[in-house]
Amino acid sequence: MTDADPVERLLATARGEPIDDPFRVTGVMMQYYHVCKRELWFESRNLEIDRDNPTVVRGTRVDDTAYSDKRENLHLGMIALDLLDDGRVVEVKPSSTLTEPAEMQLSYYLWYLDRVADVQRDGVLAHPRERKREPVELTPERTAEVEESIRGIHGVVSRSSPPPAEEKPFCDSCAYYDFCWC
């Protein structure tokens, strides 16, 4: 199945089917793909981020405290989600600065639930510090975007070297900054 479409390989891996070359995608990988492909490549090689980076610390603090009385964690195969007490999948982010990557991460969770567990759910993207919540639904268009992103992720993580560094407005706050610019 090595030459199979990455989406089919991911689904086979998630379903526990015996395949020669398993392929896994996490929610973080989906987010990184839409933020910075170089960051995705580093993460795919298990290069540890700078846990003391202020952006990482702030994100962890917000994630640990927001909706703590209304959330429960659920680990399902290659994804880890937070469910609100009403059954919606929630993705908590410290700010709405990078909304598209967060929406794609949440959309991937909804896609995974639909395709692997045959469970349909709606999602909510929450920015508690800004008191904002945005609904996210898995539409046919969003499904196509998720599947194209899975193929793109496969292309990035299959490379033998990272994509070239591209300067972006948020590079200074990135936990992988030293891998690109120092």
Side-chain angles (χ1 to χ4, degrees):
M1 184 172 247
T2 301
D3 294 333
D5 177 47
V7 173
E8 294 306 317
R9 283 181 48 208
L10 182 144
L11 289 171
T13 301
R15 292 178 182 139
E17 297 170 11
I19 62 172
D20 295 333
D21 193 13
F23 177 54
R24 300 176 57 82
V25 172
T26 65
V28 169
M29 291 170 78
M30 181 63 69
Q31 178 185 347
Y32 284 1
Y33 177 75
H34 288 277
V35 172
C36 175
K37 290 168 182 57
R38 187 172 171 91
E39 181 179 35
L40 167 64
W41 190 90
F42 290 138
E43 194 278 335
S44 76
R45 299 304 191 273
N46 297 314
L47 294 173
E48 184 60 35
I49 60 172
D50 176 7
R51 295 274 170 205
D52 295 327
N53 175 293
T55 303
V56 173
V57 170
R58 185 183 75 194
T60 301
R61 186 173 41 248
V62 168
D63 191 49
D64 288 345
T65 59
Y67 307 105
S68 59
D69 58 331
K70 296 181 179 186
R71 281 193 313 180
E72 69 178 75
N73 290 344
L74 174 67
H75 294 272
L76 179 66
M78 57 187 83
I79 63 171
L81 352 137
D82 291 329
L83 294 175
L84 289 176
D85 53 8
D86 65 2
R88 290 180 296 163
V89 178
V90 65
E91 184 59 30
V92 177
K93 297 296 181 188
S95 89
S96 58
T97 305
L98 297 172
T99 300
E100 183 207 350
E103 286 177 356
M104 287 304 298
Q105 180 178 3
L106 180 52
S107 296
Y108 173 63
Y109 293 153
L110 299 175
W111 177 89
Y112 189 95
L113 284 171
D114 180 56
R115 296 300 159 90
V116 175
D118 197 27
V119 172
Q120 290 74 41
R121 287 283 186 260
D122 287 333
V124 61
L125 181 57
H127 308 287
R129 294 174 58 148
E130 299 171 9
R131 301 191 191 288
K132 288 173 59 175
R133 292 168 58 126
E134 303 168 39
V136 175
E137 294 179 24
L138 186 63
T139 63
E141 296 80 19
R142 187 55 66 132
T143 296
E145 286 180 63
V146 167
E147 291 177 358
E148 193 55 37
S149 296
I150 291 168
R151 292 179 188 100
I153 289 168
H154 182 266
V156 171
V157 303
S158 297
R159 296 174 57 131
S160 60
S161 60
E166 290 178 42
E167 192 158 359
K168 299 182 179 194
F170 41 81
C171 286
D172 288 346
S173 62
C174 178
Y176 287 102
Y177 180 86
D178 291 345
F179 286 96
C180 300
W181 308 111
C182 291

